[in-house]
Amino acid sequence: MNKEWLKCGFILYGCGLEAEKYICRNMEMLSYIEDCVDGYRNGYFHGNLIKKIEQIKDISNRKILVASLPETYQRIKAVLDTLGLSEFKHYAHISYFEKKIIAINANCHGAGLVRYLNMSKEFRKKYVIYPIPEIQSNSNKEISPLLLGNLDVLITQDVRIGNKFSDKLSLEYLKFHVNASCEIIVIPNMVGMGTWLYPQHGNNDIIVKTANGEWPLMHENLVIESAIKAGCKELSEFVEYLNDYEFDEKIIKDNFNKFIKKIEARELNWDIKIKDYIMKHIGAGVVFCDKDHPSVEMMKYIGKKVIKKLKLKNIDDNEYDFILGLPMPLLRCVRNCFNIVGTENDCLNYYRCKDEDLLETYIRNYLFIYHEIII
């Protein structure tokens, strides 16, 4: 946002440390302060009497600059919204004037990208990520038009017109409603893309209710369910059943070829391509962690590409370990089909075990969560 927005005079909301730091960085803005507001402090801020928000007159015709930590800003935003004010029209956070504003329109893969980008000191210095809900959790079914008009960068998946959430979250809609100078970076949408690697993946997830909504706890494993029906009781019997289980190799490879054709078509809309990465790294076992989620290593790859698009320096991402999804060990027949010899690090980190103990640990977890069986 342009500082000119403030130069007709503004209310400074927040008179603590963040406000002091802002004024130190922008001394010229001190002369444009008309009123100061703080919910906790009294007294004066650089000669201006600190008031309560209720004391401000004609507030709907004023500009408000909020100087606070990001977490506090969300609480202040809620207060201002209840007064009938609109973000970017009546008020905005200090960071929106000092940094470029980015929004990420994506499913949970976006959370992985946020983690990656924020590892970059250069990124944090130049950009601020505006928090918007994941696509599937966006109850408003849209991104605020005022936000779209002020974005510097929109990172979005290629959500298509006619999707089950909202056309207003689609790439086609968004690219015509951001401002003319907004850069758009289209990232992969990989939901369902890993089905060829996980033929044992069922659709009846165990769901738990949390304060933030319902979340899957574990994915159904059709081969383990088959093992139970076959009479397996001991852990060794389950391990043997999974290791000996064979899906038709022709069907597995047909599904893989369908995946390749699908991703080739989808990549036409993506700025970040992943097909070549997948082809190169199948054997290392670092492409997906379940049928809907990329592995940690693939998220690193996507993060590097986005960093490059933003013209930032590469970062040391060895500490990046944000696991998306619920990792599921590959079946032996799938590993043999694609000559996969690599270690499934996402599984090992998720289940906190050694490679030689992975299958047993996973089976124990599955049997307890799905059937309350302890072996």
Side-chain angles (χ1 to χ4, degrees), residues 98-191:
E98 297 186 307
K99 301 178 182 181
K100 291 184 176 182
I101 306 172
I102 285 183
I104 300 178
N105 181 51
N107 51 33
C108 59
H109 304 170
L113 182 58
V114 168
R115 292 280 190 107
Y116 190 91
L117 294 175
N118 279 327
M119 290 179 68
S120 166
K121 183 178 180 180
E122 185 184 11
F123 174 84
R124 298 194 306 272
K125 184 176 181 180
K126 293 182 178 180
Y127 294 94
V128 56
I129 297 177
Y130 187 96
I132 60 175
E134 294 175 5
I135 290 170
Q136 71 277 11
S137 304
N138 191 329
S139 58
N140 292 327
K141 307 296 182 184
E142 66 174 353
I143 299 172
S144 161
L146 290 170
L147 170 59
L148 293 176
N150 284 279
L151 283 179
D152 295 291
V153 181
L154 173 65
I155 300 175
T156 181
Q157 292 174 324
D158 65 326
V159 183
R160 291 174 285 185
I161 292 288
N163 70 85
K164 65 181 180 179
F165 303 113
S166 171
D167 284 348
K168 288 187 176 182
L169 297 174
S170 68
L171 174 60
E172 285 300 310
Y173 177 88
L174 293 172
K175 69 183 182 182
F176 288 111
H177 287 81
V178 293
N179 67 81
S181 62
C182 179
E183 179 183 3
I184 298 177
I185 300 174
V186 184
I187 59 174
N189 183 354
M190 289 171 279
V191 172

Side-chain angles (χ1 to χ4, degrees), residues 6-175:
L6 299 169
K7 288 188 176 179
C8 291
F10 65 92
I11 300 165
L12 180 68
Y13 196 138
C15 302
L17 181 58
E18 295 306 309
E20 293 288 2
K21 291 192 292 186
Y22 174 78
I23 292 301
C24 284
R25 295 191 299 267
N26 303 274
M27 292 293 293
E28 76 282 4
M29 301 308 293
L30 195 58
S31 62
Y32 297 104
I33 298 176
E34 296 176 334
D35 281 303
C36 288
V37 170
D38 199 292
Y40 303 100
R41 297 173 181 84
N42 298 306
Y44 290 84
F45 181 83
H46 292 278
N48 295 281
L49 179 65
I50 299 174
K51 303 176 182 179
K52 301 305 177 188
I53 192 68
E54 297 83 7
Q55 297 174 277
I56 302 298
K57 297 179 180 179
D58 198 25
I59 195 169
S60 62
N61 292 314
R62 312 280 294 276
K63 304 292 187 186
I64 304 173
L65 178 67
V66 182
S68 70
L69 293 171
E71 311 84 67
T72 308
Y73 177 64
Q74 294 305 313
R75 294 197 294 272
I76 294 173
K77 181 181 185 303
V79 170
L80 297 176
D81 287 347
T82 60
L83 296 175
L85 305 182
S86 300
E87 191 177 26
F88 298 108
K89 180 180 180 182
H90 300 108
Y91 68 90
H93 190 260
I94 51 174
S95 62
Y96 302 158
F97 294 93
E98 297 186 307
K99 301 178 182 181
K100 291 184 176 182
I101 306 172
I102 285 183
I104 300 178
N105 181 51
N107 51 33
C108 59
H109 304 170
L113 182 58
V114 168
R115 292 280 190 107
Y116 190 91
L117 294 175
N118 279 327
M119 290 179 68
S120 166
K121 183 178 180 180
E122 185 184 11
F123 174 84
R124 298 194 306 272
K125 184 176 181 180
K126 293 182 178 180
Y127 294 94
V128 56
I129 297 177
Y130 187 96
I132 60 175
E134 294 175 5
I135 290 170
Q136 71 277 11
S137 304
N138 191 329
S139 58
N140 292 327
K141 307 296 182 184
E142 66 174 353
I143 299 172
S144 161
L146 290 170
L147 170 59
L148 293 176
N150 284 279
L151 283 179
D152 295 291
V153 181
L154 173 65
I155 300 175
T156 181
Q157 292 174 324
D158 65 326
V159 183
R160 291 174 285 185
I161 292 288
N163 70 85
K164 65 181 180 179
F165 303 113
S166 171
D167 284 348
K168 288 187 176 182
L169 297 174
S170 68
L171 174 60
E172 285 300 310
Y173 177 88
L174 293 172
K175 69 183 182 182

Side-chain angles (χ1 to χ4, degrees), residues 292-305:
D292 293 322
H293 297 93
S295 67
V296 166
E297 291 303 316
M298 195 192 292
M299 278 307 306
K300 286 183 183 181
Y301 174 79
I302 292 169
K304 285 185 176 77
K305 293 297 183 180

